[in-house]
Amino acid sequence: MDIALDVVEGQPRATPLSLVTTLEEYRKPLLPSPRRKSADIRLVARHADVYEPCDDSFALVDALLADRANICELQPSVCLEVGCGSGYVVASLALMLSDRRNIRFIATDISKSAVETTRSTLAAHNLHADVLVADLVSGIESSIAGAVDVLVFNPPYVPTADDEVGVGGIASAWAGGDRGRVVIDRMLEVVDSILSSKGWFYLVTVTANNPGEICQIMRRKGFASRIVIQRSTEEESLHVLKFWRDGTNESSDPQSNGPLVSPSGRASFLQRSLSHRLSCLVSFKSV
Amino acid sequence: MRLLTHNMLACNIKGVTNGFPLGIDATRVETKEVEMNPDFLKHIFPKLRWEAFRAAAHSLGIDNLPEQVDSNMLLDEEFLQQFHHALLEVHLEEGALICPETGRRFPVSKGIPNMLLNEDEV
């Protein structure tokens, strides 16, 4: 259940020098390979005020890649990333689903610079999406009500003073207020209204956010959950959580990471086990 | 910003009940050719709010979209091309979107609409 998956890209990270025959070839414009399943880090636009792809971004993309077969099976119509930052995640999601050509991608960020950067990153990969500056889903909430099949959120999760939240600039990308939960908790309030009946919500959290409690809050709203990826660095322990409406299918493959909720009763055990495991993690970190 | 994007935007100032569709004040419009994807168009068509789309296209100088539509028209190559062009190829790059109820202007800059509200509007 708490699988730590590392998805290895089929693409080489950089062109081996021996293959670079001439300067001209070296200068060839970088074009995304048609086989690519995540955004090319060399094509991700940068801006001083915008969070660059980092461990949490990579963990989220790896979680989506690990769940890619299930997402394809879900046949999503609308995918939304809230807090798109550099655009690395939404571009990766669009690339990994590029063989399904009728999906609509939407990306929002509270930072104007971030949305501009996302726009450049998408353009560099020859991808199209609806991008807008918004506070979470302000301005589109009524239109996307009950319509989002895949919702992705890498929130500002770093614990800070509450008044540091949303002050603008790059701080918007990480300042999460008390326990890093201020923006996360606002998002949890919106999920139920925008997610489609079959929809999935992927959320990045760190231990300080108390992911076990987040799962319990969502549980009360009728959502089941599991950890897709768990990763520890010296700085923080990251989890990518996945939520879906209780009673709907979460995975097309019952053999792999089967749904936590099943009619057999195995469900509640696993659910308890998940909450227990998360609370253990929380207490472990706070010792 | 494509008209596809415009079709989902609404003014959500507290107390506003008729914040859709937003009017368009265009300063700069660009056309960017993209490959037509009939699958996507057929998929999006039933979800599109046609009247708002047609009015938005009109404010950008596109007058060839019919008033009444039904899904059978998607079989017509000429209609599909017009639909594709207005929905996905015409971009509002600079200008503003205007709330039909309050007249509040949401700026569009570098092709990106800014739907953030001021504190007193939330």
Side-chain angles (χ1 to χ4, degrees):
Chain A
M1 198 174 53
D2 60 340
I3 9 121
L5 283 170
D6 275 298
V7 179
V8 180
E9 264 289 328
Q11 300 288 320
R13 291 285 174 203
T15 311
L17 282 176
S18 58
L19 293 179
V20 179
T21 48
T22 64
L23 191 59
E24 198 170 330
E25 185 178 333
Y26 183 72
R27 282 179 177 162
K28 266 200 309 203
L30 296 166
L31 290 172
S33 149
R35 288 183 299 119
R36 199 164 249 292
K37 293 283 186 273
S38 68
D40 186 335
I41 203 74
R42 297 165 299 181
L43 296 178
V44 173
R46 275 149 211 263
H47 185 284
D49 282 342
V50 179
Y51 190 75
E52 284 184 21
C54 203
D55 289 346
D56 48 353
S57 329
F58 300 134
L60 179 53
V61 167
D62 287 349
L64 294 167
L65 277 170
D67 220 18
R68 178 175 170 266
N70 293 325
I71 296 174
C72 289
E73 191 79 15
L74 186 73
Q75 302 194 350
S77 296
V78 178
C79 297
L80 165 67
E81 184 184 19
V82 173
C84 52
S86 67
Y88 173 73
V89 175
V90 69
S92 296
L93 185 62
L95 284 169
M96 71 180 81
L97 300 176
S98 59
D99 46 354
R100 306 198 60 87
R101 300 195 65 217
N102 54 15
I103 305 176
R104 178 174 191 180
F105 294 90
I106 307 169
T108 75
D109 202 292
I110 198 165
S111 151
K112 193 164 168 272
S113 312
V115 180
E116 286 172 12
T117 308
T118 290
R119 194 191 185 209
S120 305
T121 297
L122 288 165
H125 289 86
N126 197 25
L127 297 166
H128 301 280
D130 301 300
V131 295
L132 62 144
V133 182
D135 183 6
L136 302 182
V137 291
S138 62
I140 57 171
E141 189 167 358
S142 55
S143 308
I144 61 170
V148 179
D149 300 310
V150 176
L151 173 62
V152 175
F153 189 32
N154 182 3
Y157 55 63
V158 177
T160 63
D162 280 356
D163 58 11
E164 287 179 49
V165 177
V167 291
I170 197 165
S172 305
W174 50 265
D178 181 37
R179 297 183 300 152
R181 280 280 292 277
V182 170
V183 184
I184 291 176
D185 286 354
R186 285 185 56 221
M187 187 67 196
L188 299 184
E189 290 300 312
V190 182
V191 173
D192 192 29
S193 76
I194 63 173
L195 215 58
S196 72
S197 55
K198 65 177 183 183
W200 294 341
F201 170 39
Y202 297 85
L203 173 70
V204 178
T205 64
V206 292
T207 309
N209 304 144
N210 194 347
E213 189 187 87
I214 292 172
C215 291
Q216 282 159 18
I217 291 171
M218 290 303 284
R219 176 97 210 144
R220 287 197 288 276
K221 295 177 186 294
F223 286 84
S225 56
R226 75 172 167 94
I227 304 169
V228 186
I229 279 189
Q230 179 181 324
R231 249 175 224 175
S232 296
T233 65
E234 275 187 27
E235 301 273 305
E236 57 199 8
S237 178
L238 282 167
H239 299 92
V240 180
L241 307 177
K242 176 180 177 181
F243 300 91
W244 64 97
R245 290 184 201 280
D246 210 343
T248 60
N249 280 336
E250 176 270 334
S251 161
S252 60
D253 177 6
Q255 297 303 308
S256 73
N257 330 316
L260 292 170
V261 179
S262 72
S264 64
R266 170 174 169 260
S268 57
F269 164 72
L270 284 170
Q271 185 64 43
R272 277 200 303 277
S273 157
L274 173 70
S275 299
H276 174 69
R277 197 176 293 272
L278 286 165
S279 53
C280 286
L281 283 165
V282 172
S283 44
F284 172 74
K285 282 295 279 191
S286 57
V287 167
Chain B
M1 185 190 98
R2 307 175 293 185
L3 289 187
L4 174 64
T5 310
H6 171 267
N7 207 254
M8 69 171 180
L9 299 176
C11 171
N12 64 336
I13 292 177
K14 196 174 182 184
V16 168
T17 51
N18 294 307
F20 181 89
L22 299 172
I24 298 180
D25 179 6
T27 310
R28 193 160 66 83
V29 178
E30 270 182 28
T31 301
K32 301 172 191 173
E33 228 173 89
V34 284
E35 192 194 338
M36 186 159 79
N37 175 355
D39 265 1
F40 183 81
L41 293 172
K42 285 168 190 166
H43 206 71
I44 209 79
F45 178 79
K47 294 163 191 161
L48 205 68
R49 290 176 277 189
W50 187 265
E51 203 183 319
F53 169 56
R54 187 169 175 269
H58 180 74
S59 61
L60 299 185
I62 300 167
D63 291 320
N64 60 3
L65 295 172
E67 202 173 333
Q68 298 294 328
V69 282
D70 63 72
S71 55
N72 288 329
M73 295 169 76
L74 294 167
L75 302 169
D76 178 60
E77 188 64 29
E78 193 187 340
F79 170 75
L80 212 56
Q81 186 56 48
Q82 291 166 348
F83 179 36
H84 165 74
H85 176 71
L87 189 72
L88 303 171
E89 289 189 325
V90 178
H91 292 245
L92 175 62
E93 285 297 305
E94 301 291 333
L97 306 173
I98 304 154
C99 169
E101 190 172 314
T102 61
R104 159 61 144 106
R105 293 168 71 87
F106 295 91
V108 177
S109 156
K110 297 181 187 172
I112 298 167
N114 185 336
M115 302 307 292
L116 292 180
L117 298 175
N118 301 323
E119 268 179 37
D120 58 355
E121 296 172 319
V122 183

